[in-house]
Amino acid sequence: MSDTMAQSEFEDAFHKAAERHERVWIFIAMLLLAMLLIGTLIIVVLDYGVVVKTDAYGTNPATAATTPPFADTALVRTGPNAYSVHMLARLWAWTPSPLHVPQGAAITFYVTSADVLHGFLVQGTTINVTAVPGITGYVTYTFAHAGTYNIVCNEFCGIEHQSMIGRIIVDPERPS
Ligand code: CUA
């Protein structure tokens, strides 16, 4: 009799302890998930920023090619060694192309699309921006080396997707 009592007391204690451990580990697992979620949000905000959709970022795909700022295909000087250009993607070409930029200058590309999703990827660089109709994305890059760089579309956009190639020609720095 006392043996069975001892046995059931032991089982009660065991189950209580086991349930406590389960609760602790469920809590730890949920804590890890919450940290993962919050960490992801923080990294996304710090890395990409929170883009508030204002008029400055909005474009009308139907008129993007014929209205400012994307109608202007010129490279614009914005500082002592900084330039910007508005790059328009459409089925199946890049404008402006070929684009001449100086070596060693910070070039800011503003990118949008006049029709469907395209991808603005410049081979041999870290430039990779999705061209979204209605939205302007941007990236700043400094070409350290002169030469010809290919712009390749990296979002499937239809029958001529693979031939949607533009050119950026980086002109060598003049010796001063
Ligand atoms: Cu444009 Cu693929």
Side-chain angles (χ1 to χ4, degrees), residues 89-94 113 115-120 131 152-165:
R90 68 178 118 173
L91 301 164
W92 288 275
W94 297 98
S113 167
D115 35 53
V116 299
L117 273 188
H118 298 277
F120 180 68
V152 295
C153 181
N154 66 349
E155 294 280 355
F156 183 73
C157 58
I159 193 84
E160 290 294 319
H161 159 73
Q162 76 288 342
S163 60
M164 186 171 166
I165 295 169

Side-chain angles (χ1 to χ4, degrees), residues 49-172:
V50 176
V51 178
V52 181
K53 201 177 167 192
T54 63
D55 287 348
Y57 284 92
T59 54
N60 181 350
T63 57
T66 52
T67 51
F70 283 90
D72 185 0
T73 59
L75 187 73
V76 177
R77 188 166 196 158
T78 55
N81 202 24
Y83 297 82
S84 75
V85 65
H86 285 79
M87 181 63 67
L88 183 67
R90 68 178 118 173
L91 301 164
W92 288 275
W94 297 98
T95 307
S97 173
L99 168 70
H100 282 265
V101 301
Q103 178 188 1
I107 316 290
T108 299
F109 295 91
Y110 294 95
V111 182
T112 194
S113 167
D115 35 53
V116 299
L117 273 188
H118 298 277
F120 180 68
L121 184 147
V122 181
Q123 282 180 329
T125 73
T126 53
I127 299 173
N128 186 357
V129 176
T130 304
V132 184
I135 292 180
T136 304
Y138 63 91
V139 62
T140 300
Y141 188 81
T142 301
F143 291 89
H145 305 288
T148 300
Y149 294 76
N150 290 328
I151 307 167
V152 295
C153 181
N154 66 349
E155 294 280 355
F156 183 73
C157 58
I159 193 84
E160 290 294 319
H161 159 73
Q162 76 288 342
S163 60
M164 186 171 166
I165 295 169
R167 301 257 186 278
I168 295 173
I169 297 156
V170 180
D171 298 318

